[in-house]
Amino acid sequence: MELYNGRPENCEGRLEREIRTYDYLDKLGIEYVRTDHEHADTMEACEAIDKVLGVIMCKNLFLCNRQKTNFYLLLMPGDKKFKTKELSAQIGAARLSFASPEDMLKYLDIEPGAVSVLGLMNDKERAIRLLIDEDLKSAEYFGCHPCVNTSSLKMKTSDIIDKFLPAVKYIPTYVHLVGED
């Protein structure tokens, strides 16, 4: 894997959702380092990418309540364990589970394995509640997919919080996840 500054020079063969992501980041003046790779849809697969980018990839979980009336995008450090009960208590939502691939596509225009905060630019209805583990706030850099799982980006966390989220009109709810047994 090689590192590149910014978008690919040649976008031939890339999905439109990936190109749209680069267009949006460029429009906002957000600088990013990119690496291209094989499908990386597990945290284990992201470990090699972490080393190349010099950042721990963010774990992005797309969740919903049992009735599928409330949807949540949880961002947390990739090396932290997710405990449903721990999150449910903090946000007042019982019976959280992973949302369906169909809902992921409908709201974020993302397929399983590529969930990313960057997909919020596609949520025109603002139907998703953004949850961010407070440990991410203190990280200098943020790693995520550009709405596909064959590339990964490294950006300043402050650019996500101070530029990207206001542009897509999202105010995050910060949660405290311990992630231990």
Side-chain angles (χ1 to χ4, degrees):
M1 286 182 275
E2 292 184 46
L3 290 178
Y4 303 95
N5 288 315
R7 68 186 309 122
E9 286 183 28
N10 180 356
C11 289
E12 189 175 310
R14 294 182 184 263
L15 294 177
E16 192 271 333
R17 66 175 61 116
E18 179 183 8
I19 297 165
R20 189 172 61 236
T21 302
Y22 299 137
D23 290 345
Y24 200 76
L25 292 173
D26 293 347
K27 180 179 115 182
L28 295 176
I30 295 177
E31 294 181 7
Y32 51 94
V33 175
R34 185 189 91 255
T35 188
D36 299 324
H37 46 73
E38 296 296 320
H39 285 272
D41 52 7
T42 65
M43 291 314 295
E44 292 76 26
C46 288
E47 287 179 15
I49 298 164
D50 291 351
K51 290 178 183 159
V52 171
L53 287 175
V55 66
I56 294 177
M57 292 293 286
C58 182
K59 188 182 292 185
N60 301 267
L61 304 177
F62 189 48
L63 307 166
C64 66
N65 62 355
R66 185 171 57 179
Q67 299 82 6
K68 296 181 99 179
T69 54
N70 296 314
F71 293 89
Y72 307 89
L73 177 59
L74 171 64
L75 311 182
M76 60 187 290
D79 55 357
K80 191 181 270 192
K81 286 186 178 183
F82 172 61
K83 303 283 185 180
T84 308
K85 185 177 178 181
E86 184 179 29
L87 178 63
S88 294
Q90 291 183 55
I91 64 171
R95 304 217 179 210
L96 289 176
S97 63
F98 291 100
S100 71
E102 294 79 21
D103 287 327
M104 196 179 294
L105 200 56
K106 174 183 174 182
Y107 293 110
L108 298 173
D109 191 26
I110 292 179
E111 295 178 350
V115 176
S116 163
V117 67
L118 300 176
L120 292 176
M121 67 184 218
N122 302 315
D123 181 19
K124 305 304 181 206
E125 301 171 26
R126 303 292 173 265
I128 298 165
R129 182 173 171 194
L130 176 61
L131 310 171
I132 301 178
D133 183 280
E134 62 187 18
D135 287 349
L136 288 180
K137 285 194 299 187
S138 61
E140 183 177 2
Y141 291 100
F142 185 91
C144 67
H145 293 309
C147 298
V148 296
N149 64 6
T150 52
S151 292
S152 296
L153 307 179
K154 174 183 175 179
M155 299 166 276
K156 288 187 176 180
T157 302
S158 59
D159 283 343
I160 292 293
I161 303 296
D162 301 331
K163 292 181 182 178
F164 179 78
L165 292 180
V168 295
K169 298 177 175 57
Y170 264 92
I171 298 172
T173 298
Y174 290 97
V175 295
H176 176 75
L177 301 175
V178 178
E180 296 174 359
D181 294 324

